[in-house]
Amino acid sequence: MTEQQRAGHGHLVEGYARILTDTCATGRRLSRDELAALRAQGERAAEAGVGLRALVRDHLTAAQEVRAGLTGAAADHLLIAVSQAVDAFAEGHERAQRLAIRKEEAARREFVDDLLHGRSDTGRLAERAERFGLLLSHAHAVAVAEGPEPYEDGSAVTRGVESALIARFGHRRILLTTKNGRLICVAPGDQGEFLRHFAKQAYGATEGGRVAIGRAHPGVGGVVQSYEEALNALEFAARMGLDDPVLHAADLLVYPVLARDRGAMADLVRTVLGPLQEARGGARPLVDTLMAYFDSGCVAAEAARRLSLSVRAMTYRLERIHRLTGADPSDPVDRYTLQTAVIGARLLGWPDQPL
């Protein structure tokens, strides 16, 4: 062994030469205690940051020195002893590596949970964030992707999206993780291309899932706020039947405003749309008619196509709504009231759910 090796991590092979000499002299296999000592050496090497390749090289160098002093059957037995020894300290090295990875994963998961829920001391959370590549003194935005199945850290979908981000941007200040089966990406608020690329990759990887992007906000609390905005956008999109694959919370701000006072919204729906329940077949067909009418930009022909109706049948339904509610869908003032009530009905699940 060279002087440089002895001065470096030669202590990690301490006692190894003696073990080889003893086993070769007697022709025996390594004892349980000797194997345990070698596993412990492997663990210490991993904890010291010594790679398995370097560790094997040091042990082979030590074995060569032992080989120079052996003859006959003792020399022939050396390869068997070295094989046992290498297997033992490699096992210890790998065990320590797995433990370190599990600890790192646990620390990362704890940090993600604290970050997205605003738990933990702000200063301490900011310090931990730097370890994972985030500077929480800056503004950040959060994108949330959901698909037909739940996703976890290390899953094929998560790894694929992460690889695509790294290939495009390198190891920049982006945090990609999962939470409650969804993919989460936290990125600097002034670099929207990160989240746009994430949205594109997540949409493809989840085979038609949906992505929502919150607004950028400063500080630790800003990450929580942006995350909640993205979650709310997904929820409102599901309620409203929006089919856009990528949603921006900034474009949907009207919905949380309308939903903030549930009592007032329920009263509006009940007052404006309640009379539709008197129609043959109940309120549902006429509510669907209004939804299609407003979604198509108040173009009756397009709304009829969406509902697989004739234009004449569509016109009849709109006239029926006018008679029952007293509000004319073609009148700009009445249209605003009706459309707001329809949005409320969607948010509250009416008429399928009682108000």
Side-chain angles (χ1 to χ4, degrees):
M1 187 178 299
T2 66
E3 290 300 323
Q4 183 178 4
Q5 288 173 324
R6 293 181 189 281
H9 39 78
H11 65 286
L12 295 173
V13 297
E14 184 178 352
Y16 175 62
R18 178 188 56 76
I19 293 174
L20 292 183
T21 301
D22 290 349
T23 56
C24 289
T26 61
R28 64 178 177 82
R29 297 179 64 84
L30 273 67
S31 69
R32 181 178 299 177
D33 290 342
E34 289 169 338
L35 291 173
L38 289 168
R39 293 190 189 97
Q41 284 183 346
E43 291 179 1
R44 290 196 296 272
E47 293 167 356
V50 179
L52 186 58
R53 185 176 179 181
L55 189 60
V56 170
R57 184 178 60 246
D58 289 349
H59 281 71
L60 291 178
T61 299
Q64 288 176 345
E65 294 180 358
V66 172
R67 174 67 179 82
L70 298 177
T71 59
D76 295 337
H77 188 71
L78 179 63
L79 184 59
I80 297 175
V82 170
S83 177
Q84 283 187 277
V86 168
D87 184 68
F89 63 69
E91 180 185 347
H93 193 279
E94 292 172 356
R95 183 167 58 192
Q97 290 281 46
R98 288 195 298 270
L99 180 60
I101 290 173
R102 286 197 295 269
K103 288 182 177 179
E104 178 68 16
E105 290 175 346
R108 190 173 189 271
R109 174 49 52 193
E110 182 181 6
F111 165 73
V112 168
D113 290 343
D114 290 347
L115 176 68
L116 296 181
H117 291 289
R119 295 194 296 256
S120 184
D121 174 74
T122 301
R124 175 62 180 148
L125 193 59
E127 291 177 5
R128 293 161 62 198
E130 292 187 26
R131 174 182 172 187
F132 298 100
L134 298 180
L135 293 177
L136 294 184
S137 57
H138 299 170
H140 286 81
V142 180
V144 180
E146 62 181 10
E149 60 185 43
Y151 306 106
E152 298 179 353
D153 292 344
S155 67
V157 169
T158 306
R159 291 197 310 270
V161 174
E162 185 174 27
S163 297
L165 288 174
I166 293 175
R168 175 74 177 272
F169 302 109
H171 292 278
R172 306 280 282 276
R173 295 190 176 277
I174 306 174
L175 175 65
L176 181 66
T177 185
T178 61
K179 180 71 175 174
N180 295 331
R182 302 183 180 95
L183 295 177
I184 312 293
C185 184
V186 183
D190 60 351
Q191 300 184 40
E193 68 272 18
F194 289 179
L195 295 183
R196 286 193 293 271
H197 192 63
F198 166 78
K200 178 181 179 180
Q201 296 300 320
Y203 177 73
T206 59
E207 299 182 350
R210 176 175 283 167
V211 184
I213 302 176
R215 295 178 296 168
H217 299 282
V220 175
V223 174
V224 180
Q225 187 173 353
S226 185
Y227 173 62
E228 291 179 346
E229 285 180 351
L231 290 180
N232 288 336
L234 290 173
E235 181 182 354
F236 286 127
R239 291 188 190 179
M240 299 298 296
L242 305 180
D243 55 6
D244 297 17
V246 179
L247 307 162
H248 294 269
D251 299 334
L252 304 176
L253 291 178
V254 64
Y255 299 125
V257 171
L258 292 175
R260 194 163 295 155
D261 190 338
R262 181 184 176 89
M265 179 57 68
D267 187 46
L268 176 67
V269 173
R270 189 182 300 109
T271 301
V272 175
L273 301 181
L276 298 181
Q277 293 176 305
E278 300 174 12
R280 182 186 303 173
R284 169 50 65 192
L286 296 181
V287 171
D288 289 343
T289 298
L290 285 172
M291 289 180 180
Y293 183 66
F294 293 132
D295 288 347
S296 63
C298 299
V299 178
E302 173 60 20
R305 186 190 65 79
R306 295 187 181 191
L307 293 174
S308 300
L309 296 174
S310 66
V311 175
R312 181 177 179 180
M314 184 70 191
T315 302
Y316 171 79
R317 285 192 179 188
L318 292 175
E319 291 174 351
R320 181 68 170 151
I321 291 169
H322 186 187
R323 287 196 300 271
L324 288 171
T325 65
D328 183 359
S330 64
D331 179 83
V333 176
D334 289 350
R335 183 189 305 158
Y336 176 79
T337 301
L338 282 170
Q339 189 166 9
T340 303
V342 166
I343 292 174
R346 279 177 161 175
L347 292 174
L348 300 176
W350 188 86
D352 300 325
Q353 299 293 330
L355 296 175

